Amino acid sequence: MRKKIVAGNWKMNTLPAEGVELAKGVVAGRGEVCSCVNFIVCPPFTHLAMVAEALKGSDVELGAQNCAAEAKGAYTGEVAASMLAALGCKYVILGHSERRQYYGETSETLNKKMAQAYANGLTPIYCVGENLDEREAGKHFDVVKAQIEEVVYNLTEEQFKNLVIAYEPVWAIGTGKTATADQAQEIHAYIRKVLADKFGAAAAECPILYGGSCKPSNAAEIFAKEDVDGGLIGGAALKAEDFLAIGKGFQK
Ligand code: PGA
């Protein structure tokens, strides 16, 4: 049985006090959703300590949106994975398309970030996904394959057991345009096959989340697909009610 996960990527939204309110809202409503669903919230760095406090005593887990590629030292403005772990983070989103696109993250950097995450006991939520041109040219399978081979294939079997993948087509992120449930299933099944080519049976246990304009109205249909194990949610994670309603989308 694979883990069912609904993770909220708050991106650069909310002030700290608003983030605390949002986290409290998720904790307060969490009981209305099956305990089989694992909720994770990923606030900005500045909110982590306060949100960790707000989550205390609940099963809602904490994640960060990024970490440094180095362990510590003279890297002005960076935040080390050890610092995130010390604040109570269990997860870290790595390789989000916004970071690849706006901050030039390459597979080389991401290999280092993955190593830092594992060295500090964090589970990476590793994002893959094609842009619109690549989808229209029919290259989406090759794009996600390369993103996996260049980074995930470098993991040990032990590390792979602690990995979450998020498939996020860039054309669906924040656009209101969602992949259809069939499109999601098609590529999730492909991703699982690429993982199985390297890690064998363990690939059947790896949660693969869908991300890109996932909302209460479409989550149930997408989550019903065999190889979709939940969602990485942006915009709809900023309202506790919507975020929780997405969790209710699990019917399997
Ligand atoms: P979205 O973002 O739900 O706002 O499309 C998803 C993401 O980028 O993680």
Side-chain angles (χ1 to χ4, degrees):
M1 265 294 273
R2 284 192 292 275
K3 252 186 164 174
K4 302 180 199 331
I5 296 174
V6 176
N9 174 9
W10 296 3
K11 307 192 181 182
M12 197 169 72
N13 291 300
T14 72
L15 292 174
E18 293 164 342
V20 167
E21 281 314 299
L22 176 53
K24 283 184 180 165
V26 174
V27 169
R30 195 266 169 275
E32 294 160 28
V33 187
C34 178
S35 60
C36 60
V37 179
N38 297 270
F39 283 105
I40 303 166
V41 293
C42 304
F45 291 141
T46 43
H47 306 20
L48 288 170
M50 284 163 77
V51 169
E53 196 57 39
L55 298 180
K56 262 201 187 133
S58 84
D59 67 351
V60 179
E61 296 182 295
L62 189 64
Q65 299 173 21
N66 181 29
C67 73
E70 316 295 338
K72 64 173 182 176
Y75 300 99
T76 303
E78 289 293 286
V79 177
S82 60
M83 300 171 185
L84 303 175
L87 288 182
C89 287
K90 297 277 181 271
Y91 296 85
V92 60
I93 299 172
L94 290 176
H96 190 281
S97 63
E98 287 153 15
R99 299 225 43 100
R100 293 180 192 260
Q101 205 180 330
Y102 308 142
Y103 303 100
E105 282 194 359
T106 59
S107 295
E108 197 188 337
T109 335
L110 288 167
N111 280 313
K112 291 190 188 171
K113 293 188 175 196
M114 295 284 272
Q116 286 302 319
Y118 284 113
N120 291 283
L122 300 175
T123 296
I125 302 176
Y126 178 69
C127 304
V128 299
E130 80 286 355
N131 64 31
L132 187 59
D133 288 349
E134 291 160 343
R135 165 68 63 165
E136 286 176 345
K139 291 189 187 145
H140 43 297
F141 294 110
D142 293 343
V143 170
V144 299
K145 186 173 190 223
Q147 289 169 333
I148 290 170
E149 283 179 348
E150 290 168 15
V151 177
V152 178
Y153 273 25
N154 297 328
L155 302 181
T156 63
E157 284 179 18
E158 244 354 86
Q159 289 172 329
F160 177 70
K161 285 184 193 153
N162 258 312
L163 176 72
V164 176
I165 300 261
Y167 167 68
E168 300 202 302
V170 179
W171 47 271
I173 296 178
T175 58
K177 233 176 133 179
T178 320
T180 64
D182 287 339
Q183 281 174 326
Q185 170 56 26
E186 180 185 42
I187 198 144
H188 279 227
Y190 175 76
I191 290 169
R192 200 174 301 287
K193 186 195 156 298
V194 172
L195 297 174
D197 286 345
K198 171 80 179 172
F199 297 101
E205 301 302 319
C206 180
I208 306 177
L209 314 183
Y210 169 79
S213 299
C214 191
K215 44 187 181 264
S217 59
N218 59 26
E221 194 188 347
I222 299 173
F223 294 176
K225 294 293 179 182
E226 191 185 335
D227 287 291
V228 181
D229 306 306
L232 180 56
I233 319 298
L238 296 173
K239 274 197 191 149
E241 199 187 337
D242 288 351
F243 186 58
L244 293 163
I246 289 171
K248 288 180 191 158
F250 272 109
Q251 307 190 339
K252 62 181 181 196

